[in-house]
Amino acid sequence: ENVVQNKDTSQFVDFSKFALLFYCQGFSEGCTLTRGERDLRQIARKHGISLPDLDNYKLCFDKYDKDGSGRIQLKEFRALIAHLTKPPEGCSLPENR
């Protein structure tokens, strides 16, 4: 190997240290996801929802959350539920659901 040695090795990371660090931390949720993404994954795990399903629900919810507040009005909620459940034309979900 042609490796140039430097007296101040603290400013360098060799491959073995990099590989170990990346292996241990590279795919950690804390390192690769935003706080919001980690929160969504926690919800999915807590309720047994698959990540693709939860991502789909979140995308749909965000379309109805016009002001980006993280909340939707009851009217928007009903429209979102109708969009996700796709009831046959002319039918609607009962109010008690």
Side-chain angles (χ1 to χ4, degrees):
E1 285 183 311
N2 290 331
V3 177
V4 177
Q5 296 279 332
N6 189 315
K7 291 180 184 177
D8 184 4
T9 58
S10 64
Q11 293 185 15
F12 296 90
V13 176
D14 66 19
F15 179 73
S16 65
K17 288 180 184 173
F18 163 77
L20 181 60
L21 176 67
F22 191 75
Y23 175 77
C24 292
Q25 298 292 325
F27 297 104
S28 167
E29 288 182 4
C31 293
T32 59
L33 301 176
T34 66
R35 174 71 180 178
E37 291 167 331
R38 289 192 307 269
D39 291 346
L40 286 177
R41 286 186 178 211
Q42 186 175 13
I43 291 168
R45 284 190 290 268
K46 179 179 179 181
H47 297 289
I49 302 169
S50 74
L51 290 176
D53 283 348
L54 192 70
D55 286 342
N56 181 50
Y57 302 157
K58 178 68 170 134
L59 287 172
C60 291
F61 182 91
D62 289 347
K63 287 180 186 177
Y64 286 84
D65 180 17
K66 302 291 185 197
D67 64 0
S69 67
R71 299 173 14 173
I72 56 176
Q73 296 176 356
L74 185 56
K75 179 181 173 183
E76 296 165 325
F77 173 76
R78 288 184 178 133
L80 172 58
I81 294 299
H83 171 79
L84 290 172
T85 58
K86 297 177 177 76
E89 192 166 326
C91 295
S92 62
L93 295 173
E95 286 291 320
N96 63 353
R97 289 197 70 199

Coordinates of all heavy atoms in Angstrom, one line a residue:
E1 N 0.8 -1.2 0.0 CA 0.0 0.0 0.0 C 0.9 1.2 0.0 O 1.9 1.3 0.7 CB -0.9 0.1 1.3 CG -2.0 -0.9 1.3 CD -2.9 -0.7 2.5 OE1 -2.3 -0.7 3.6 OE2 -4.1 -0.5 2.4
N2 N 0.5 2.2 -0.7 CA 1.1 3.5 -0.7 C 0.3 4.5 0.1 O -0.6 5.1 -0.3 CB 1.2 4.1 -2.1 CG 2.2 3.3 -3.0 OD1 3.1 2.8 -2.4 ND2 2.0 3.3 -4.3
V3 N 0.6 4.4 1.4 CA -0.1 5.3 2.3 C 0.8 6.3 2.9 O 1.9 6.0 3.3 CB -0.7 4.4 3.5 CG1 -1.3 5.3 4.5 CG2 -1.6 3.4 3.0
V4 N 0.4 7.6 2.8 CA 1.2 8.7 3.3 C 0.9 8.9 4.7 O -0.3 9.1 5.1 CB 0.9 10.0 2.5 CG1 1.7 11.1 3.1 CG2 1.3 9.8 1.0
Q5 N 1.8 8.8 5.6 CA 1.6 8.9 7.0 C 1.7 10.4 7.4 O 2.5 11.2 6.8 CB 2.7 8.2 7.8 CG 2.7 6.7 7.6 CD 1.7 6.0 8.5 OE1 1.4 6.5 9.5 NE2 1.2 4.9 8.0
N6 N 0.9 10.8 8.3 CA 0.9 12.2 8.8 C 1.0 12.1 10.3 O 0.3 11.3 10.9 CB -0.4 12.9 8.3 CG -0.3 14.4 8.6 OD1 0.1 14.8 9.7 ND2 -0.7 15.2 7.7
K7 N 1.8 13.0 10.9 CA 1.9 13.0 12.4 C 0.6 13.3 13.1 O 0.3 12.8 14.1 CB 3.0 14.0 12.8 CG 4.4 13.6 12.4 CD 5.4 14.6 12.8 CE 6.8 14.2 12.3 NZ 7.8 15.2 12.6
D8 N -0.2 14.1 12.5 CA -1.5 14.5 13.1 C -2.6 13.6 12.5 O -3.3 14.0 11.6 CB -1.8 16.0 12.9 CG -3.1 16.4 13.6 OD1 -3.7 15.6 14.3 OD2 -3.5 17.6 13.4
T9 N -2.8 12.4 13.0 CA -3.8 11.5 12.5 C -5.2 11.8 12.9 O -6.1 11.2 12.4 CB -3.4 10.0 12.9 OG1 -3.4 10.0 14.3 CG2 -2.1 9.6 12.3
S10 N -5.4 12.7 13.8 CA -6.7 13.0 14.3 C -7.6 13.6 13.2 O -8.8 13.6 13.4 CB -6.7 14.0 15.5 OG -6.1 15.2 15.2
Q11 N -7.0 14.2 12.2 CA -7.8 14.8 11.1 C -8.1 13.8 10.0 O -8.6 14.2 9.0 CB -7.1 16.0 10.6 CG -7.0 17.1 11.6 CD -6.3 18.4 11.0 OE1 -6.2 18.5 9.8 NE2 -5.9 19.3 11.9
F12 N -7.8 12.6 10.2 CA -8.0 11.6 9.1 C -8.8 10.4 9.7 O -8.7 10.1 10.9 CB -6.7 11.1 8.6 CG -5.8 12.1 7.9 CD1 -4.9 12.9 8.7 CD2 -6.0 12.4 6.6 CE1 -4.2 13.9 8.1 CE2 -5.3 13.4 6.0 CZ -4.4 14.1 6.7
V13 N -9.6 9.8 8.8 CA -10.3 8.6 9.1 C -10.0 7.5 8.1 O -10.1 7.8 6.9 CB -11.9 8.9 9.1 CG1 -12.6 7.6 9.3 CG2 -12.3 10.0 10.1
D14 N -9.5 6.4 8.6 CA -9.1 5.4 7.7 C -10.4 4.6 7.3 O -11.4 4.7 7.9 CB -8.0 4.5 8.2 CG -8.4 3.7 9.4 OD1 -9.6 3.5 9.7 OD2 -7.5 3.2 10.1
F15 N -10.3 3.7 6.3 CA -11.4 3.0 5.8 C -12.1 2.1 6.9 O -13.3 2.1 7.0 CB -11.1 2.2 4.6 CG -12.3 1.5 4.1 CD1 -13.3 2.1 3.4 CD2 -12.4 0.1 4.3 CE1 -14.5 1.5 3.0 CE2 -13.5 -0.6 3.9 CZ -14.6 0.1 3.2
S16 N -11.3 1.4 7.6 CA -11.8 0.5 8.6 C -12.7 1.3 9.6 O -13.7 0.8 10.0 CB -10.7 -0.3 9.3 OG -9.9 0.5 10.1
K17 N -12.2 2.4 10.1 CA -13.0 3.2 11.0 C -14.3 3.7 10.3 O -15.4 3.7 10.9 CB -12.2 4.4 11.6 CG -11.1 4.0 12.5 CD -10.3 5.2 13.0 CE -9.2 4.7 13.9 NZ -8.3 5.8 14.3
F18 N -14.2 4.2 9.1 CA -15.3 4.7 8.4 C -16.4 3.5 8.2 O -17.5 3.7 8.4 CB -14.9 5.2 7.0 CG -16.1 5.3 6.0 CD1 -17.0 6.3 6.2 CD2 -16.3 4.3 5.1 CE1 -18.1 6.4 5.3 CE2 -17.4 4.4 4.2 CZ -18.3 5.4 4.3
A19 N -15.9 2.3 7.8 CA -16.8 1.2 7.5 C -17.5 0.8 8.8 O -18.7 0.6 8.8 CB -16.0 0.0 7.0
L20 N -16.8 0.8 9.9 CA -17.4 0.4 11.2 C -18.4 1.5 11.6 O -19.6 1.1 12.0 CB -16.3 0.3 12.3 CG -16.9 -0.1 13.7 CD1 -17.6 -1.4 13.6 CD2 -15.7 -0.2 14.7
L21 N -18.1 2.7 11.5 CA -19.0 3.8 11.8 C -20.3 3.8 11.0 O -21.4 3.8 11.5 CB -18.3 5.2 11.7 CG -19.2 6.4 12.0 CD1 -19.7 6.4 13.4 CD2 -18.6 7.7 11.6
F22 N -20.1 3.6 9.7 CA -21.2 3.6 8.8 C -22.1 2.4 9.0 O -23.3 2.5 9.0 CB -20.7 3.7 7.3 CG -21.9 3.9 6.4 CD1 -22.4 5.2 6.3 CD2 -22.4 2.9 5.6 CE1 -23.5 5.4 5.4 CE2 -23.5 3.1 4.8 CZ -24.0 4.4 4.7
Y23 N -21.4 1.2 9.3 CA -22.2 0.0 9.6 C -23.0 0.2 10.8 O -24.2 -0.2 10.8 CB -21.2 -1.2 9.7 CG -21.9 -2.4 10.1 CD1 -22.7 -3.2 9.2 CD2 -21.9 -2.9 11.5 CE1 -23.3 -4.3 9.6 CE2 -22.5 -4.0 11.9 CZ -23.2 -4.8 10.9 OH -23.9 -5.9 11.3
C24 N -22.5 0.8 11.8 CA -23.2 1.0 13.1 C -24.2 2.1 13.1 O -25.2 2.0 13.7 CB -22.2 1.2 14.2 SG -21.1 -0.2 14.6
Q25 N -23.9 3.2 12.3 CA -24.8 4.3 12.4 C -25.5 4.7 11.1 O -26.4 5.5 11.0 CB -24.0 5.6 12.9 CG -23.4 5.4 14.3 CD -24.5 5.4 15.3 OE1 -25.5 6.1 15.2 NE2 -24.3 4.6 16.4
G26 N -25.0 4.2 10.0 CA -25.4 4.7 8.6 C -26.9 4.5 8.4 O -27.5 5.3 7.7
F27 N -27.4 3.4 8.9 CA -28.9 3.2 8.6 C -29.7 3.4 9.9 O -30.9 3.1 9.9 CB -29.0 1.8 8.1 CG -28.3 1.6 6.8 CD1 -27.2 0.9 6.7 CD2 -28.9 2.1 5.6 CE1 -26.5 0.7 5.5 CE2 -28.2 1.9 4.4 CZ -27.0 1.2 4.4
S28 N -29.2 4.1 10.8 CA -29.9 4.4 12.0 C -31.0 5.5 11.7 O -30.7 6.5 11.0 CB -28.9 5.0 13.1 OG -29.7 5.6 14.1
E29 N -32.2 5.3 12.2 CA -33.3 6.3 12.0 C -32.9 7.6 12.5 O -33.2 8.6 11.9 CB -34.5 5.8 12.6 CG -35.2 4.6 12.0 CD -36.5 4.2 12.6 OE1 -37.0 4.9 13.6 OE2 -37.1 3.2 12.2
G30 N -32.1 7.7 13.6 CA -31.7 9.0 14.1 C -30.8 9.7 13.2 O -30.7 11.0 13.3
C31 N -30.1 9.0 12.4 CA -29.1 9.7 11.5 C -29.7 10.0 10.1 O -29.2 10.9 9.4 CB -27.9 8.8 11.3 SG -26.9 8.6 12.8
T32 N -30.6 9.2 9.7 CA -31.1 9.3 8.3 C -32.5 9.9 8.1 O -32.8 10.2 7.0 CB -31.1 7.9 7.6 OG1 -31.9 7.0 8.3 CG2 -29.7 7.3 7.5
L33 N -33.3 10.0 9.2 CA -34.6 10.4 9.0 C -34.8 11.8 9.8 O -34.2 12.0 10.8 CB -35.6 9.4 9.6 CG -35.6 8.0 9.0 CD1 -36.6 7.1 9.7 CD2 -35.9 8.1 7.5
T34 N -35.8 12.5 9.3 CA -36.2 13.7 10.0 C -37.0 13.4 11.2 O -37.5 12.2 11.4 CB -37.0 14.7 9.1 OG1 -38.3 14.0 8.8 CG2 -36.3 15.0 7.8
R35 N -37.2 14.3 12.1 CA -38.0 14.1 13.3 C -39.4 13.6 12.9 O -40.0 12.7 13.5 CB -38.1 15.3 14.2 CG -39.0 15.3 15.3 CD -38.4 14.4 16.4 NE -39.3 14.3 17.5 CZ -39.2 13.6 18.5 NH1 -38.1 12.9 18.7 NH2 -40.0 13.6 19.5
G36 N -40.0 14.3 11.9 CA -41.4 13.9 11.4 C -41.4 12.5 10.9 O -42.4 11.7 11.2
E37 N -40.4 12.1 10.1 CA -40.3 10.7 9.6 C -40.2 9.7 10.7 O -40.8 8.6 10.7 CB -39.2 10.6 8.6 CG -39.4 11.4 7.3 CD -38.2 11.5 6.5 OE1 -37.1 11.5 7.0 OE2 -38.3 11.6 5.3
R38 N -39.4 10.0 11.7 CA -39.3 9.1 12.9 C -40.6 9.0 13.6 O -41.0 7.9 14.1 CB -38.1 9.6 13.8 CG -36.8 9.4 13.2 CD -35.7 9.6 14.3 NE -35.7 10.8 15.0 CZ -35.1 12.0 14.6 NH1 -34.4 12.0 13.5 NH2 -35.2 13.1 15.4
D39 N -41.3 10.1 13.8 CA -42.6 10.1 14.5 C -43.6 9.2 13.7 O -44.3 8.4 14.3 CB -43.2 11.5 14.6 CG -42.4 12.3 15.6 OD1 -41.6 11.8 16.4 OD2 -42.6 13.6 15.6
L40 N -43.6 9.3 12.4 CA -44.5 8.5 11.6 C -44.2 7.0 11.7 O -45.1 6.2 11.8 CB -44.4 8.9 10.1 CG -45.1 10.2 9.7 CD1 -44.9 10.5 8.3 CD2 -46.6 10.1 10.0
R41 N -42.9 6.7 11.7 CA -42.5 5.3 11.9 C -42.9 4.7 13.3 O -43.3 3.6 13.4 CB -41.0 5.1 11.7 CG -40.7 5.2 10.2 CD -39.2 4.9 10.0 NE -39.0 5.0 8.6 CZ -38.1 4.2 7.9 NH1 -37.3 3.4 8.6 NH2 -37.9 4.4 6.6
Q42 N -42.8 5.6 14.3 CA -43.3 5.2 15.6 C -44.8 4.9 15.6 O -45.2 3.9 16.2 CB -42.9 6.2 16.6 CG -43.2 5.8 18.1 CD -42.7 6.9 19.1 OE1 -42.4 8.0 18.7 NE2 -42.7 6.5 20.3
I43 N -45.5 5.7 15.0 CA -47.0 5.5 14.9 C -47.3 4.2 14.2 O -48.1 3.4 14.6 CB -47.7 6.7 14.1 CG1 -47.6 7.9 15.0 CG2 -49.1 6.3 13.7 CD1 -48.0 9.2 14.2
A44 N -46.5 3.9 13.1 CA -46.7 2.7 12.3 C -46.5 1.5 13.2 O -47.2 0.5 13.2 CB -45.8 2.7 11.1
R45 N -45.3 1.5 13.9 CA -45.0 0.3 14.7 C -46.0 0.2 15.8 O -46.4 -1.0 16.1 CB -43.6 0.5 15.3 CG -42.5 0.3 14.3 CD -41.1 0.2 15.0 NE -40.7 1.5 15.4 CZ -39.9 2.3 14.7 NH1 -39.5 2.0 13.5 NH2 -39.6 3.5 15.2
K46 N -46.4 1.2 16.4 CA -47.3 1.2 17.6 C -48.7 0.6 17.2 O -49.3 -0.2 17.9 CB -47.6 2.6 18.1 CG -48.5 2.6 19.3 CD -48.7 4.0 19.8 CE -49.7 4.1 21.0 NZ -49.8 5.5 21.5
H47 N -49.1 0.9 15.9 CA -50.5 0.4 15.5 C -50.4 -0.7 14.5 O -51.5 -1.1 14.0 CB -51.2 1.6 15.0 CG -51.5 2.7 16.0 ND1 -52.3 2.5 17.1 CD2 -50.9 3.9 16.2 CE1 -52.3 3.6 17.8 NE2 -51.5 4.4 17.3
G48 N -49.2 -1.2 14.2 CA -49.1 -2.4 13.3 C -49.5 -2.0 11.8 O -50.0 -2.8 11.1
I49 N -49.2 -0.8 11.4 CA -49.5 -0.3 10.1 C -48.2 -0.4 9.3 O -47.1 0.0 9.8 CB -49.9 1.2 10.1 CG1 -51.2 1.3 11.0 CG2 -50.2 1.7 8.7 CD1 -51.6 2.8 11.3
S50 N -48.3 -0.9 8.1 CA -47.1 -1.0 7.2 C -46.6 0.4 6.9 O -47.4 1.4 6.8 CB -47.3 -1.8 6.0 OG -48.1 -1.0 5.1
L51 N -45.3 0.6 6.7 CA -44.8 1.9 6.4 C -45.3 2.4 5.0 O -45.6 3.6 4.9 CB -43.2 1.9 6.4 CG -42.6 1.8 7.7 CD1 -41.1 1.7 7.6 CD2 -43.0 2.9 8.6
P52 N -45.4 1.6 4.0 CA -46.0 2.1 2.7 C -47.4 2.6 2.9 O -47.8 3.6 2.3 CB -45.9 0.9 1.8 CG -44.8 0.1 2.3 CD -44.8 0.2 3.8
D53 N -48.2 1.9 3.7 CA -49.6 2.3 3.9 C -49.6 3.6 4.7 O -50.3 4.5 4.3 CB -50.4 1.3 4.7 CG -50.8 0.1 3.9 OD1 -50.7 0.1 2.7 OD2 -51.3 -0.9 4.5
L54 N -48.8 3.7 5.7 CA -48.8 5.0 6.5 C -48.3 6.1 5.7 O -48.8 7.2 5.7 CB -47.9 4.8 7.8 CG -48.1 6.0 8.7 CD1 -49.5 5.9 9.4 CD2 -47.0 6.0 9.8
D55 N -47.3 5.9 4.8 CA -46.8 7.0 3.9 C -47.9 7.4 3.0 O -48.1 8.6 2.8 CB -45.6 6.5 3.1 CG -44.3 6.4 3.9 OD1 -44.2 7.0 5.0 OD2 -43.4 5.7 3.4
N56 N -48.7 6.5 2.5 CA -49.8 6.8 1.6 C -50.9 7.6 2.4 O -51.4 8.6 1.9 CB -50.5 5.5 1.1 CG -51.6 5.9 0.1 OD1 -51.5 6.7 -0.8 ND2 -52.8 5.2 0.4
Y57 N -51.2 7.2 3.6 CA -52.2 8.0 4.4 C -51.7 9.4 4.7 O -52.4 10.3 4.6 CB -52.4 7.3 5.8 CG -52.9 5.9 5.7 CD1 -52.7 5.0 6.8 CD2 -53.6 5.3 4.6 CE1 -53.1 3.7 6.8 CE2 -54.0 4.0 4.6 CZ -53.8 3.2 5.7 OH -54.2 1.9 5.7
K58 N -50.4 9.5 5.0 CA -49.8 10.8 5.2 C -49.9 11.7 4.0 O -50.2 12.9 4.1 CB -48.4 10.7 5.7 CG -47.7 12.0 6.0 CD -48.2 12.7 7.2 CE -47.3 13.9 7.6 NZ -48.1 15.1 7.8
L59 N -49.5 11.2 2.8 CA -49.6 11.9 1.6 C -51.0 12.4 1.3 O -51.2 13.6 1.0 CB -49.1 11.1 0.4 CG -47.6 10.9 0.3 CD1 -47.3 9.9 -0.8 CD2 -46.9 12.2 0.1
C60 N -52.0 11.5 1.5 CA -53.4 11.9 1.3 C -53.8 13.0 2.4 O -54.5 13.9 2.0 CB -54.3 10.7 1.5 SG -54.1 9.5 0.1
F61 N -53.5 12.8 3.6 CA -53.8 13.7 4.7 C -53.2 15.1 4.3 O -53.9 16.1 4.4 CB -53.3 13.3 6.0 CG -53.6 14.2 7.1 CD1 -54.8 14.0 7.9 CD2 -52.8 15.2 7.5 CE1 -55.1 14.8 8.9 CE2 -53.1 16.1 8.5 CZ -54.3 15.9 9.2
D62 N -52.0 15.1 3.9 CA -51.3 16.4 3.6 C -52.0 17.1 2.4 O -52.0 18.4 2.4 CB -49.8 16.2 3.3 CG -49.0 15.8 4.5 OD1 -49.5 16.0 5.6 OD2 -47.9 15.4 4.3
K63 N -52.6 16.4 1.5 CA -53.4 17.0 0.4 C -54.6 17.8 0.9 O -55.0 18.8 0.4 CB -53.8 16.0 -0.6 CG -52.7 15.5 -1.5 CD -53.2 14.5 -2.5 CE -52.0 13.8 -3.2 NZ -52.5 12.7 -4.1
Y64 N -55.2 17.3 2.0 CA -56.4 17.9 2.5 C -56.0 18.9 3.6 O -56.9 19.7 4.0 CB -57.3 16.8 3.1 CG -58.0 16.0 2.0 CD1 -57.4 15.0 1.4 CD2 -59.3 16.4 1.6 CE1 -58.0 14.3 0.4 CE2 -59.9 15.7 0.6 CZ -59.3 14.7 0.0 OH -59.9 14.0 -1.1
D65 N -54.8 18.9 4.1 CA -54.4 19.9 5.1 C -53.8 21.1 4.3 O -52.6 21.3 4.2 CB -53.3 19.2 5.9 CG -52.7 20.2 7.0 OD1 -53.4 21.2 7.3 OD2 -51.6 19.9 7.5
K66 N -54.7 21.9 3.8 CA -54.4 23.0 2.9 C -53.4 24.0 3.5 O -52.5 24.5 2.8 CB -55.6 23.8 2.4 CG -56.6 22.9 1.8 CD -56.1 22.4 0.4 CE -57.2 21.6 -0.3 NZ -56.8 20.8 -1.4
D67 N -53.5 24.3 4.8 CA -52.7 25.3 5.4 C -51.4 24.7 6.1 O -50.6 25.4 6.6 CB -53.4 26.1 6.4 CG -53.9 25.3 7.6 OD1 -53.7 24.1 7.7 OD2 -54.6 26.0 8.5
G68 N -51.2 23.4 6.0 CA -50.0 22.8 6.5 C -49.9 22.8 8.0 O -48.9 22.6 8.6
S69 N -51.1 22.9 8.7 CA -51.1 23.0 10.2 C -51.0 21.6 10.9 O -50.7 21.6 12.1 CB -52.4 23.7 10.6 OG -53.5 22.8 10.4
G70 N -51.2 20.6 10.1 CA -51.2 19.2 10.7 C -52.5 18.8 11.2 O -52.7 17.8 11.8
R71 N -53.5 19.7 10.9 CA -54.9 19.4 11.3 C -55.8 19.7 10.1 O -55.5 20.6 9.3 CB -55.3 20.3 12.4 CG -54.5 20.1 13.7 CD -54.8 21.1 14.8 NE -56.0 21.9 14.7 CZ -56.4 22.7 15.6 NH1 -55.8 22.8 16.7 NH2 -57.5 23.4 15.4
I72 N -56.9 19.0 10.0 CA -57.9 19.2 9.0 C -59.3 19.4 9.6 O -59.5 18.9 10.7 CB -57.9 18.1 7.9 CG1 -58.2 16.7 8.6 CG2 -56.7 18.1 7.1 CD1 -58.4 15.6 7.6
Q73 N -60.1 20.1 8.9 CA -61.5 20.4 9.4 C -62.3 19.1 9.2 O -62.0 18.3 8.4 CB -62.1 21.6 8.7 CG -61.4 22.9 9.0 CD -62.0 24.0 8.1 OE1 -62.8 23.8 7.3 NE2 -61.4 25.2 8.4
L74 N -63.4 19.0 9.9 CA -64.3 17.9 9.8 C -64.7 17.6 8.4 O -64.8 16.5 7.9 CB -65.5 18.0 10.8 CG -66.4 16.8 10.9 CD1 -65.7 15.5 11.3 CD2 -67.6 17.1 11.8
K75 N -65.1 18.7 7.7 CA -65.5 18.6 6.3 C -64.4 17.9 5.4 O -64.6 17.0 4.6 CB -65.9 19.9 5.7 CG -66.3 20.0 4.3 CD -66.6 21.4 3.9 CE -66.9 21.5 2.4 NZ -67.1 22.8 1.9
E76 N -63.2 18.4 5.7 CA -62.0 17.8 4.9 C -61.7 16.4 5.3 O -61.4 15.5 4.5 CB -60.8 18.7 5.2 CG -60.9 20.1 4.7 CD -59.8 21.0 5.2 OE1 -59.5 20.9 6.4 OE2 -59.4 21.9 4.5
F77 N -61.9 16.1 6.6 CA -61.8 14.7 7.1 C -62.7 13.8 6.4 O -62.3 12.7 6.0 CB -62.0 14.7 8.7 CG -62.0 13.3 9.2 CD1 -60.8 12.6 9.4 CD2 -63.2 12.7 9.6 CE1 -60.8 11.3 10.0 CE2 -63.2 11.4 10.1 CZ -62.1 10.7 10.3
R78 N -64.0 14.2 6.3 CA -65.0 13.4 5.6 C -64.6 13.1 4.2 O -64.7 12.0 3.6 CB -66.4 14.0 5.7 CG -66.9 13.9 7.1 CD -68.3 14.5 7.1 NE -68.9 14.3 8.5 CZ -69.5 15.3 9.1 NH1 -69.7 16.5 8.6 NH2 -70.0 15.1 10.3
A79 N -64.1 14.2 3.5 CA -63.7 14.1 2.1 C -62.5 13.1 2.0 O -62.4 12.3 1.1 CB -63.4 15.4 1.5
L80 N -61.6 13.2 2.9 CA -60.4 12.4 2.9 C -60.8 10.9 3.1 O -60.3 10.0 2.4 CB -59.4 12.8 4.0 CG -58.2 11.9 4.3 CD1 -57.4 11.7 3.1 CD2 -57.4 12.5 5.4
I81 N -61.7 10.6 4.1 CA -62.1 9.3 4.3 C -62.8 8.7 3.1 O -62.6 7.6 2.7 CB -63.0 9.2 5.6 CG1 -62.3 9.5 6.8 CG2 -63.7 7.8 5.7 CD1 -61.1 8.6 7.1
A82 N -63.7 9.5 2.5 CA -64.3 9.1 1.2 C -63.3 8.8 0.1 O -63.4 7.8 -0.6 CB -65.3 10.2 0.8
H83 N -62.3 9.6 0.0 CA -61.2 9.4 -0.9 C -60.5 8.1 -0.7 O -60.2 7.3 -1.6 CB -60.2 10.5 -0.9 CG -59.0 10.3 -1.7 ND1 -59.0 10.4 -3.1 CD2 -57.7 9.9 -1.4 CE1 -57.7 10.2 -3.5 NE2 -57.0 9.8 -2.5
L84 N -60.2 7.8 0.6 CA -59.4 6.6 0.9 C -60.2 5.3 0.8 O -59.7 4.3 0.5 CB -58.8 6.7 2.3 CG -57.7 7.7 2.5 CD1 -57.3 7.9 4.0 CD2 -56.5 7.3 1.7
T85 N -61.5 5.4 1.2 CA -62.4 4.2 1.2 C -63.0 3.9 -0.1 O -63.5 2.8 -0.4 CB -63.5 4.3 2.3 OG1 -64.2 5.4 2.1 CG2 -62.8 4.3 3.7
K86 N -63.2 5.0 -1.0 CA -63.7 4.9 -2.3 C -65.1 4.1 -2.3 O -65.3 3.1 -2.9 CB -62.8 4.2 -3.2 CG -61.5 4.9 -3.4 CD -60.5 4.1 -4.3 CE -59.3 4.8 -4.6 NZ -58.3 4.9 -3.6
P87 N -66.1 4.7 -1.6 CA -67.4 4.1 -1.6 C -68.0 4.2 -3.0 O -67.7 5.1 -3.8 CB -68.2 4.9 -0.6 CG -67.5 6.2 -0.5 CD -66.1 5.9 -0.8
P88 N -68.9 3.2 -3.3 CA -69.5 3.3 -4.7 C -70.3 4.6 -4.9 O -70.7 5.2 -3.9 CB -70.5 2.1 -4.6 CG -70.0 1.2 -3.5 CD -69.3 2.1 -2.6
E89 N -70.4 5.0 -6.1 CA -71.0 6.3 -6.4 C -72.5 6.3 -5.9 O -73.2 5.3 -6.0 CB -71.0 6.5 -8.0 CG -71.4 7.9 -8.3 CD -71.1 8.3 -9.7 OE1 -70.1 7.8 -10.3 OE2 -71.9 9.1 -10.3
G90 N -72.8 7.4 -5.3 CA -74.2 7.5 -4.8 C -74.3 7.0 -3.3 O -75.3 7.2 -2.7
C91 N -73.2 6.4 -2.8 CA -73.2 5.9 -1.4 C -72.3 6.8 -0.6 O -71.4 7.4 -1.1 CB -72.7 4.5 -1.4 SG -73.8 3.3 -2.2
S92 N -72.5 6.8 0.7 CA -71.6 7.5 1.6 C -71.5 6.7 2.8 O -72.2 5.8 3.1 CB -72.2 8.9 1.9 OG -73.4 8.8 2.5
L93 N -70.5 7.1 3.6 CA -70.3 6.4 4.9 C -71.3 6.9 5.9 O -71.5 8.1 6.0 CB -68.8 6.6 5.4 CG -67.7 6.0 4.5 CD1 -66.4 6.5 5.0 CD2 -67.8 4.5 4.5
P94 N -71.8 6.0 6.8 CA -72.7 6.4 7.8 C -71.9 7.4 8.8 O -70.7 7.3 9.0 CB -73.1 5.1 8.5 CG -72.6 4.0 7.7 CD -71.6 4.6 6.8
E95 N -72.7 8.3 9.3 CA -72.1 9.3 10.3 C -71.4 8.7 11.5 O -70.4 9.2 12.0 CB -73.2 10.3 10.7 CG -73.6 11.3 9.7 CD -72.5 12.3 9.4 OE1 -71.8 12.8 10.3 OE2 -72.4 12.7 8.2
N96 N -72.0 7.5 11.9 CA -71.5 6.9 13.1 C -70.1 6.2 12.9 O -69.6 5.6 13.8 CB -72.5 6.0 13.8 CG -72.9 4.8 12.9 OD1 -72.5 4.8 11.7 ND2 -73.7 3.9 13.4
R97 N -69.7 6.1 11.7 CA -68.4 5.5 11.4 C -67.3 6.5 11.5 O -66.2 6.4 11.7 CB -68.4 4.8 10.0 CG -69.3 3.6 10.1 CD -69.1 2.7 8.9 NE -67.8 2.0 9.1 CZ -67.2 1.5 8.0 NH1 -67.7 1.5 6.9 NH2 -66.0 0.9 8.2

